[in-house]
Amino acid sequence: MSEVSYTRIDSPVGKLLLAADAQGLRLVSFESSKRAAPVQPEWKEDKAPFAEVIRQLQAYFVGELREFELRLAPEGTEFQLRVWNSLRTIPYGETISYGQLAQKIGDPKAVRAVGLANACNPIPIIVPCHRVIGSNGSLTGFGGGLANKKKLLDLESRQLSLL
């Protein structure tokens, strides 16, 4: 991995840590989360590489952007990458269950594994893991907290503008 840059931004869902390298965006982390990613000692603080990421996030939060167009470089297992790529195909404003996501990746029995991969998504919001809900329609786990998951889903259903 090449040199990693990072920055922090304020957002309607709390302070976010962004990290990227020459390959693309690697991390969006909710700093208030119990599972917040720590800044690594070798990372370099530099806001400049994140101008487009920040612009697109701001446009998303005001309801003007429905699909992110950013170079992403998440690190994970082959299975996790399949799940994360599939998350990106869930349309804005729609939700699916973990079971439906497992079917979508061609492994209908892997519901729990899909849930774990979803929970490990290093680029939430942009890779929309918040669009996955329980089979009964309930909001379940989200690294940024259930209140933020609800905010994001409300934004996408046009019930809320976050900025």
Side-chain angles (χ1 to χ4, degrees):
M1 192 161 63
S2 58
E3 181 177 275
V4 175
S5 297
Y6 78 94
T7 193
R8 292 179 172 96
I9 63 167
D10 290 317
S11 85
V13 290
K15 193 170 272 296
L16 300 173
L17 170 67
L18 309 175
D21 64 11
Q23 309 301 300
L25 185 65
R26 294 201 171 269
L27 179 73
V28 173
S29 180
F30 292 88
E31 291 218 308
S32 64
S33 169
K34 292 176 199 160
R35 296 185 344 200
V39 171
Q40 299 301 309
E42 66 274 11
W43 293 2
K44 183 180 97 182
E45 187 166 11
D46 184 2
K47 193 171 193 166
F50 299 96
E52 184 60 15
V53 175
I54 293 167
R55 186 194 70 74
Q56 288 190 35
L57 281 168
Q58 288 172 336
Y60 170 80
F61 288 131
V62 296
E64 295 174 356
L65 182 83
R66 291 174 168 247
E67 196 170 313
F68 291 92
E69 293 183 25
L70 297 166
R71 199 170 64 222
L72 305 180
E75 289 185 311
T77 67
E78 184 179 320
F79 181 81
Q80 287 172 326
L81 292 171
R82 270 183 32 223
V83 171
W84 301 337
N85 284 332
S86 189
L87 290 171
R88 296 186 72 202
T89 68
I90 304 168
Y92 180 95
E94 295 184 20
T95 58
I96 66 172
S97 70
Y98 293 95
Q100 290 169 315
L101 183 56
Q103 287 182 339
K104 198 171 184 153
I105 65 162
D107 200 348
K109 293 183 178 180
V111 176
R112 282 202 165 98
V114 161
L116 288 172
N118 200 51
C120 293
N121 173 18
I123 310 174
I125 305 169
I126 295 166
V127 176
C129 54
H130 61 277
R131 296 180 188 153
V132 184
I133 60 174
S135 59
N136 63 358
S138 64
L139 298 187
T140 58
F142 182 61
L146 291 182
N148 281 334
K149 182 172 187 164
K150 181 170 178 8
K151 279 185 189 177
L152 295 171
L153 293 175
D154 286 349
L155 167 72
E156 292 186 10
S157 67
R158 296 300 213 202
Q159 295 177 25
L160 180 68
S161 172
L162 296 182
L163 286 180

